[in-house]
Amino acid sequence: MSDLEVRIDKAIGALDLEAKVRLLTGATSFTLHPEPSVGLAEVVFSDGPTGVRGALFTGGRIACQLPNATLLAQHWDTAVAAEVGALLAEEAAAQHVHVVLGPTVNLHRTALNGRLFEEFSEDPLLTGALATAYINALQEHGTAATLKHFVANEAETDRKTVNSLLDERTLREVYLLPFEMAVADANPWAVMAAYNRVNGTPATEHTELIEGVLKGEWGYNGLVMSDWYAATSTADSANAGLDLIMPGPAGPWGEKLVAAVRRGEVAESTVDEQVRRLLRLADRVGAFGTQRQWPSTGPAPDSARRRAVLRRLAAGGMTVLVNRASALPLAAGGKVAVIGRHALETVTQGAGSAEVRPPHEISIADGIMQALGADRVTVVDGVEVRRDPLTAAEGLLRDPETGEFGMRVTTRDADGEVIESRHVGWSELFTRESPWVRPAATIELTAEVALAEPPRMQVGVRGRGEWTFSVPGHYERVRLERVDDAGEVLRLPYRTVTLDLEPGARITAVTTAEPGDRIIGLAARVAPKPPAAAIGAAVRAAREADVAVVVVGLTPEQETEEVDKITLALPGEQDALIAAVAAAAKRTVVVVNAATPVLMPWLERVDAVLWAGLPGQEAGAAVAAALTGEVEPAGRLVTTFPARDGDGPVWSPVPVHGEVSYGEGIAVGYRGWHRERTEPLFWFGHGLGYTEWAYGEAELAVDDSTIRSVRVTVTNTGARAGREVVQVYWRPEGEPVRLVGWTGVDLEPGRTASVDVLVDARALRRWHEGAWEQLPLTGEVLVARGLGDIRITLPAAH
């Protein structure tokens, strides 16, 4: 027995049942209870896929806002995933965070999934490899990764109750594979059980999956926690192998678990094992025994070092979907019209628990202006793209007393006397994280419009409760009810009005005390012009320019936790805007600011399309670098793009009678498209970059009747240096095609390289009658630049 296990045994023996059980539910939303008597310090968690937000849900510390997961995955590069993991570890250490709640390895089963932006890809092998590199790098620096959400959690509609139905082969080969790879190759120190049911059993109570597969078959020795509020049972979840329930301090364990042990429904040895895994986690992150020493300094989120890295990560993962007549990179001279609401209000991150508060968010308009110069660039607003104004963006509102961004929060007692008045450096407040507001009978939120020019603005209030709301020219009372369970923290109800306001106009909102925790806040945004006026202004600007860059996309209303989409169409009149500009402009480049596939009815009318994703805090600088060719946008798609709503092997994420059937089996994503011989808008793996590539001879290395590797000669035949991603797929007889390996190569113009693509044996097997077996070596091996551009076909067997 190791010294650690001896120390853990001693700690468990020193605690009574009540003390042990107390450790197994969070102390707060993002912390665990300390136990000084055994040398256990507080352990701090943070959401983490897009950055390390810290232990506060709203208004927390400024942190790096990374490009979203699909944009990072589009590098098809485990070194990039490792770089991200190391960066997040530094960010976590700066905030004294022990556990990062990521990565998310659920798959892109349907393009309508609202949380797709937080997940790597539709392919289990690619997802597993990227997650493994991310976890290894994060944990090498002493910060725990949390692999989530275990398992079959591929949509948001009714996610807390939905029953995912899938056969054993599909579960094993597709949805468990990324988890299996990460556990085997990186040993994440925590795994998060999902909200949904799997074949009728809640994921938090799934003995077969947690105890049988994860801890038993795979030998996982880390901690298994619940997703937030996912666990609802006492004995069933404890006996299934769940080790920690989050958040706290309330939950279905606590006194109920103590009572269950006393009644013999749960063995005390089960509790001991849960505590053992928790203490093992605490030791790994430096919170058990010798305490971790946090660094005194580190790169600030807005430091030159951070900004350069984030800009490169974002720009390099962007994907050139179309590039007719070499419209990209942009020419060195000429006038450029930058058009669209997303150019001015660039969406840098998705909504929900992945959100962070960045030091800045560079708009695409500002990024292009800085790169090309103000004398070359005209910026024109676009059409309306959203209904919900969400939180007020940086620079729109300021505290009337301090002049700083944010709002003034004043609490009063029942007699109207002021209890406390504070500056809050954000436009939201979470009562759970702000206990100083709880004694109040009323809470007043006050802010001033910070814009220098008289704007037409959409302003209002957000959050459940009774409100009085006033702004010059308007006063009303309103009752806002929560949308659903998520409406307390993720999808807030709101009420806004659109008015012509003067600079410095004051917004005042007062809400009365309400039971329970809630998020409340002010909403503010500049109101766009009516569609006809916006399109008319865009057309005039396009006619006067040498190239029109139209920036369109989705918003956090579509790319968000808790909500799935009902269409892939761009919101508002964005399609009409592009069509009108394309008809008027000499040359039209479309930049799509979205993580989720969108429909492109205008595709044949434009000269180029750059898929920009959700690029994080350096968004505008990264898009400018990609458009100008300073950084090659060498990304390859990680999701197949449908041409029409309803296309593809899976469409609707909506449960039927509470159930979602994974009836497509193992033919998820591109596998199903390829099997059905259906042509999508863009294939998985597609991406043009800024140069041309020729493929020479290819050779398989076969050993013991299995493919070990593929060697292929590639030549950069274009005029620019570039990066190629050599993709290898296998199409066994009678089976869907599947990705089995890939390798990236960087080459100067005219250079040739021999590229070895290692094949992962886990992609060459099938689950049959309760065990793994190797697939017969039949069919064809495809060497490709994406399934829409297959360069070499080889027989699998020799």
Side-chain angles (χ1 to χ4, degrees), residues 242 248 279 434 616:
L242 197 66
L279 293 178
S434 308

Side-chain angles (χ1 to χ4, degrees), residues 716-728:
N716 181 350
T717 59
R720 300 175 62 93
R723 181 172 190 269
E724 175 66 320
V725 179
V726 179
Q727 304 162 38
V728 175

Side-chain angles (χ1 to χ4, degrees), residues 596-613:
T596 303
V598 302
L599 305 183
M600 302 182 186
W602 34 262
L603 187 62
E604 298 304 318
R605 308 181 195 180
V606 304
D607 298 285
V609 179
L610 178 70
W611 186 259

